[in-house]
Amino acid sequence: MSDAILFSPATSVFSTTSNSIPLSSSSHLRPFRHEPPPSIITGIPFSCQAVTGATPASTTPLKKKTRYEMENLTTWLLKQEQAGHIDAELTIVLSSISLACKQIASLLQRSSIINITGAQGTMNIQGEDQKKLDVISNELFCNCLRSTGRTGIIASEEEDVPVAVEETESGNYIVVFDPIDGSANIDIALTTGSIFGIYAPDEQCLVDYDEDTLDEAKEKCIVSVCQPGSNLLAAGYCLYSSSVVFTISIGNGVHGFTLDPAYGEFVLTHEDIKIPKSGRIYSFNEGNYDLFDPKLQNYLDHLRKPGGPAGKPYSGRYIGCLVGEIHRMLLYGGIYGNPDNAKAKNGNLRLLYECAPMSYLVEQAGGKAIDGVQRILDIEPKQVHQRTPIFIGSPDEIDKLMSYLA
């Protein structure tokens, strides 16, 4: 029999030729023509056709992506580089951040076992008690960024001032980050995350940092790297929860990668995320309700009243971790708020390395982020650890909020 015969049910494809009959058993030596049709054996309808000619284009089934055709973060970054969206040096910086996130995820999973939970016994520049993993994660981020030779200046929540990287060879990117967001959740194994943003180098600040001490001009130059979020080249977060999800934008949409522990790779699982235009979830720390502005109180009262198509109030959710709040919002929609109040005139979150990167991501996904008056990405930081109020989420929900605050 010269031509191969193809039997193709809806989900399987079988082929055999006279040269491919197994020889392991004498029962398999019967000529193929004496076998009953497969449809008699299985009861499944088969179509039979010779494969000597080409299959008509109109009947060619669409190729489905199999589990073995996964696209990991490294491959995705290389494709973005080839397409001209980022350069090779930014690719290296982003890869180093993903490595830091993998290391932090591993430590978080084993934190109670290796005794790295609890307080460090120190305070950061904002007067907040540092957890052991705050300090360790900050060191991991810094080491990964230094090792690339492409990072010029680092600004972290855990560092008093921006740090000039002496190991820089080229690139000179400015990287701002919060190594562990929601660190109060660490000891009880709840959601935490890391946040980062990357800015282009300020050409006026490419000075020599090899000296042991920096003069006043150089210190001023380092501080001047504070840029508005609209200047961001890339931003993202890593969520540490039931899954580890690395979400990133380089200015052409938002994409999420889930860590596959079997391979140790971030695999593309959420391509081109678009935030819903509206949502029925709100997230505010209502323990501060009595400290909020009366206009905001009226807005929250409205959300708690039955309404909408189902005649139900909004659902209140509060994780205590900005990364967790934004991740849920990107997928389900809604609104998150951390407003100013009677005891925190500028809110609680930092502009440079928390609010700006998250606002960049949400806007890339089609959402909005404001401080109650203006767009978050338009605010130019005056200080590295400057705080700001923030309202962020689905565009329709932000518009509704603004109607109450006006």
Side-chain angles (χ1 to χ4, degrees), residues 28 49 75 104 178 246 269 278 293 322 351 365 376 405:
H28 293 148
Q49 67 179 46
T75 302
I104 293 170
D178 180 358
F246 187 86
T269 51
S278 61
D293 182 274
L322 180 62
L351 172 61
I376 290 290
L405 298 182

Side-chain angles (χ1 to χ4, degrees), residues 192-218:
T192 55
S194 299
I195 307 171
F196 66 89
I198 302 175
Y199 292 91
D202 185 340
E203 297 297 334
Q204 297 178 352
C205 291
L206 300 182
V207 296
D208 183 8
Y209 297 109
D210 291 337
E211 301 175 12
D212 293 334
T213 59
L214 298 174
D215 59 30
E216 184 177 350
K218 291 179 181 177

Side-chain angles (χ1 to χ4, degrees), residues 165-212:
V165 179
E166 297 178 357
E167 296 86 348
T168 296
E169 298 171 4
S170 62
N172 291 293
Y173 287 103
I174 299 163
V175 182
V176 297
F177 60 89
D178 180 358
I180 289 285
D181 172 57
S183 58
N185 290 343
I186 292 174
D187 294 354
I188 50 176
L190 293 182
T191 301
T192 55
S194 299
I195 307 171
F196 66 89
I198 302 175
Y199 292 91
D202 185 340
E203 297 297 334
Q204 297 178 352
C205 291
L206 300 182
V207 296
D208 183 8
Y209 297 109
D210 291 337
E211 301 175 12
D212 293 334

Side-chain angles (χ1 to χ4, degrees), residues 151-324:
T151 306
I153 298 175
I154 295 171
S156 166
E157 179 182 16
E158 308 304 330
E159 301 285 351
D160 294 355
V161 296
V163 178
V165 179
E166 297 178 357
E167 296 86 348
T168 296
E169 298 171 4
S170 62
N172 291 293
Y173 287 103
I174 299 163
V175 182
V176 297
F177 60 89
D178 180 358
I180 289 285
D181 172 57
S183 58
N185 290 343
I186 292 174
D187 294 354
I188 50 176
L190 293 182
T191 301
T192 55
S194 299
I195 307 171
F196 66 89
I198 302 175
Y199 292 91
D202 185 340
E203 297 297 334
Q204 297 178 352
C205 291
L206 300 182
V207 296
D208 183 8
Y209 297 109
D210 291 337
E211 301 175 12
D212 293 334
T213 59
L214 298 174
D215 59 30
E216 184 177 350
K218 291 179 181 177
E219 288 182 354
K220 184 178 180 180
C221 195
I222 289 179
V223 175
S224 74
V225 303
C226 297
Q227 301 179 42
S230 55
N231 289 357
L232 279 163
L233 297 179
Y237 64 77
C238 190
L239 173 79
Y240 311 114
S241 187
S242 58
S243 297
V244 179
V245 184
F246 187 86
T247 304
I248 185 175
S249 176
I250 55 173
N252 60 350
V254 179
H255 307 274
F257 300 78
T258 302
L259 182 63
D260 186 339
Y263 302 103
E265 292 283 353
F266 282 111
V267 177
L268 181 61
T269 51
H270 300 77
E271 189 170 5
D272 196 18
I273 299 172
K274 296 297 182 185
I275 189 170
K277 289 186 176 181
S278 61
R280 302 290 297 178
I281 299 174
Y282 76 100
S283 181
F284 288 74
N285 183 358
E286 294 189 83
N288 294 324
Y289 176 87
D290 291 337
L291 303 175
F292 291 159
D293 182 274
K295 293 180 179 179
L296 181 59
Q297 291 176 343
N298 290 337
Y299 169 73
L300 294 174
D301 292 341
H302 161 74
L303 297 184
R304 290 195 292 263
K305 293 178 181 178
K312 295 181 179 179
Y314 278 59
S315 296
R317 300 284 186 272
Y318 190 76
I319 301 172
C321 169
L322 180 62
V323 170

Side-chain angles (χ1 to χ4, degrees), residues 29 35 39 41 54 78 80 86 98-99 117 143 152-153 156 178 182 185 246 275 291 319 334 346 349 362 384 391:
L29 298 178
E35 290 289 318
S39 58
I41 298 173
L78 290 174
Q80 301 307 307
I86 55 177
S98 72
L99 175 59
T117 57
N143 288 341
I153 298 175
S156 166
D178 180 358
N185 290 343
F246 187 86
I275 189 170
L291 303 175
I319 301 172
N346 296 313
L349 297 178
V362 168
V384 174
F391 303 97

